[in-house]
Amino acid sequence: MPDPTVPPTPPVPLDALLAREDLGLRRVAGPSDPGVVVRWAHTSEMADPYPYLLGGELLLSAGVHIPDGAGPGYFDAYVSRIVAAGGAALGFGLAPVHDTVPRALVAACDLQGLPLLEVPPRTTFSGVARAVWQLMAQARLAELRRVTEAHRGLASAAARPDPVPSVLHRLSRHLDGRAVLFGPEGTEIAAAGRALGEEADTALAKLAEVVRPAGPDEHRPDPVGGTGPGAVPGTAGPASPAGQARSRPSPASATDTVAEVRLAAYALGAGHGFVLGVAAPSRDSGDHTIASVAAVLLSLLTGEQQSGTGAARSAALVRLLLGSGPEAVAPLLGGERWRVVHAHRAVRPSEARSPDALAASALGAALGSALVDPAGGIVRVLVPAGREPEAQPGWTLGVSAAVAPYDWPTADTQAARALARARATRVPLVVHGARPALDDLVPAADARAHARMLLAPLAGTPALTDTLRTWLSLHGSWDRTAVALSVHRNTVRQRIARCAALLDADLDDPDVRMNLWFALRRA
């Protein structure tokens, strides 16, 4: 079996051979179709070359086999056997046997649509064969370079913050067509590239259904050989009786052609029912390799990356809904201490958009957890404390201290504050500090009572409290506080002035700031 990761050798356009001045070939009969290609060259003087041809050959002959006085019937039979064997073209060499191409041979090739080339006396058949192999080698090298470039581009796209749309976009560019990700229910989740018509879109969706893994109770009708939607090369068999279907394993891929558009569908390897569909007006030899690489990347991106099993997570959810506490379900999720991560897409304001579920899942996979919640423009990830979160390309992260499950709400607040600080200071990751020295010296109940009393003038105005907390955490920077809160710097100044008035305190005094910061941490 050929290596599926290496594209097959591209065929040589017949016009490329005719363009070689060193060969001097001339088309004397047959169609001038630029789509005619040659896969190899073969020399034979057999009167019936059919048994020795594989298809796609440029058959070379000097006419040694032609008997004296041969008429049109001989040439018609000879050409028909070449056509039946799938020969691409016939090259007839002048000298030493014939000074010209027989007229009857020209007529037979015109009649049966076989390109006929005149090979001049100065050109040897071995020279023609060598030229074919040279052109093939050049085409293969160009195709390998194209495939290598596509591999790099797809891998780069998979590392972006929005990996799935990026991979589809890059794939559609490399194939000059359309790439679609179908979900387990057959719905179109994401797509990229130019539309190729409603008929092609409908056929691609049907082809995706052919390769989508069937559930245990599902049955699929056997595909019948043909070129319509659902035809799967290599899997066609006799049709089942009308109205009946029998279960069968799903193929890993399938191809079809509809309205001159080449279609292909690839079942993604995660086993969750995702399918990659590709539609392109033409199909080069390396396209399957490129699409297969994209399918592997999408399999990883759509797969279930998790710290525990899916069943364990389901059990944890059910127990929480039925009243169990976080500390009771945490062991099912894979850890005793946890960190909460808040993530924000690090994009320009003009490109700001809420992260989609697939991008959020990819982020969770990178952080080592499938416990992901994308909501309100922020992705929250619950990560076991044994996995230290690292900065991720395209994201700004805020990370909480490691806490026990009953402190998850506190960790969530810590992560939110850490993210605000990361955004304000324009760094990719900020981890909440875990050294509350004053908290160790003051009993928790006394600290909370002190905080309520000190911050009582701000009670009922969360905007003032949040602004004061952020402003203090950023050492009184108006600009960075404005960035963190997504408000104008003048708004920050007005709120801080209001806080100073209500608290009757000098906020430039470091002792006042220290007391307020202590209270805000306990509020």
Side-chain angles (χ1 to χ4, degrees):
M1 293 293 291
D3 185 351
T5 64
V6 178
T9 300
V12 174
L14 184 60
D15 286 351
L17 275 176
L18 291 169
R20 289 278 297 258
E21 296 182 358
D22 59 320
L23 297 178
L25 303 179
R26 185 171 67 92
R27 192 195 319 260
V28 296
S32 300
D33 183 2
V36 175
V37 296
V38 174
R39 298 189 178 278
W40 33 65
H42 176 65
T43 300
S44 174
E45 296 297 345
M46 303 294 294
D48 180 11
Y50 180 94
Y52 308 98
L53 300 182
L54 298 175
E57 293 94 347
L58 168 59
L59 179 63
L60 300 170
S61 172
V64 176
H65 59 87
I66 301 175
D68 294 337
Y74 176 85
F75 291 104
D76 286 342
Y78 177 67
V79 172
S80 68
R81 294 295 282 171
I82 298 174
V83 172
L90 172 64
F92 193 87
L94 302 182
V97 181
H98 299 270
D99 295 331
T100 61
V101 180
R103 291 182 178 275
L105 178 59
V106 173
C109 288
D110 275 330
L111 179 64
Q112 301 193 43
L114 179 68
L116 175 61
L117 310 184
E118 179 187 270
V119 183
R122 64 181 174 84
T123 301
T124 64
F125 287 173
S126 60
V128 175
R130 182 171 62 249
V132 170
W133 297 124
Q134 287 173 347
L135 290 172
M136 281 186 175
Q138 294 170 6
R140 179 171 175 80
L141 179 59
E143 193 68 4
L144 287 173
R145 286 175 176 170
R146 171 175 171 261
V147 170
T148 301
E149 179 184 353
H151 285 192
R152 292 173 179 170
L154 290 169
S156 176
R160 289 177 56 85
D162 49 351
V164 171
S166 295
V167 169
L168 293 176
H169 176 69
R170 185 60 67 99
L171 178 61
S172 68
R173 285 181 54 192
H174 283 298
L175 302 185
D176 190 26
R178 184 168 178 81
V180 182
L181 177 65
F182 295 98
E185 305 302 324
T187 56
E188 183 178 304
I189 295 179
R194 57 195 178 98
L196 297 174
E198 182 178 354
E199 184 180 1
D201 290 343
T202 301
L204 185 60
K206 291 181 178 179
L207 192 64
E209 189 65 21
V210 171
V211 301
R212 184 180 65 83
D217 298 324
E218 292 186 72
H219 294 276
R220 298 182 182 277
D222 285 325
V224 181
T227 59
V232 184
T235 61
S240 301
Q244 295 185 10
R246 60 188 180 86
S247 61
R248 64 170 178 82
S250 302
S253 64
T255 59
D256 198 1
T257 301
V258 173
E260 299 184 353
V261 176
R262 304 294 183 90
L263 309 177
Y266 301 84
L268 301 189
H272 303 304
F274 290 95
V275 174
L276 169 64
V278 175
S282 62
R283 189 169 180 83
D284 295 327
S285 57
D287 287 352
H288 174 70
T289 303
I290 295 173
S292 297
V293 171
V296 171
L297 292 172
L298 290 171
S299 296
L300 297 175
L301 294 171
T302 58
E304 188 176 20
Q305 305 294 332
Q306 54 188 20
S307 57
T309 64
R313 292 206 309 274
S314 297
L317 175 61
V318 170
R319 294 186 190 183
L320 282 173
L321 293 174
L322 295 180
S324 296
E327 62 278 4
V329 304
L332 292 173
L333 302 177
E336 296 182 356
R337 295 182 66 80
W338 299 79
R339 295 181 185 272
V340 176
V341 178
H342 280 214
H344 180 268
R345 288 285 294 278
V347 296
R348 293 188 293 270
S350 59
E351 301 176 351
R353 63 184 184 275
S354 296
D356 58 72
L358 290 173
S361 297
L363 173 65
L367 294 175
S369 175
L371 303 173
V372 180
D373 173 31
I378 298 296
V379 177
R380 299 190 298 176
V381 187
L382 195 58
V383 180
R387 295 179 178 143
E388 293 292 335
E390 298 180 354
Q392 301 297 321
W395 294 90
T396 301
L397 305 182
V399 183
S400 75
V403 300
Y406 56 81
D407 273 336
W408 282 347
T410 300
D412 188 44
T413 302
Q414 292 175 354
R417 293 174 183 171
L419 176 60
R421 186 174 181 83
R423 295 181 62 190
T425 55
R426 294 181 174 85
V427 296
L429 182 145
V430 168
V431 179
H432 177 81
R435 294 188 299 170
L438 291 178
D439 288 356
D440 292 338
L441 300 175
V442 180
D446 292 345
R448 286 193 294 270
H450 171 72
R452 284 195 300 270
M453 179 185 67
L454 186 60
L455 300 175
L458 304 182
T461 53
L464 294 181
T465 304
D466 290 343
T467 301
L468 180 60
R469 177 185 292 110
T470 304
W471 183 74
L472 289 173
S473 73
L474 296 173
H475 308 292
S477 171
W478 308 108
D479 292 331
R480 291 192 293 172
T481 302
V483 171
L485 296 177
S486 299
V487 298
H488 195 276
R489 68 193 306 272
N490 289 341
T491 301
V492 176
R493 288 183 177 276
Q494 293 168 3
R495 290 180 181 177
I496 294 301
R498 181 63 175 160
C499 289
L502 291 174
L503 294 171
D504 190 21
D506 179 7
L507 297 185
D508 290 330
D509 188 330
D511 289 333
V512 172
R513 290 192 182 192
M514 182 187 67
N515 285 328
L516 287 173
W517 181 247
F518 175 78
L520 287 166
R521 286 174 56 86
R522 306 305 303 177

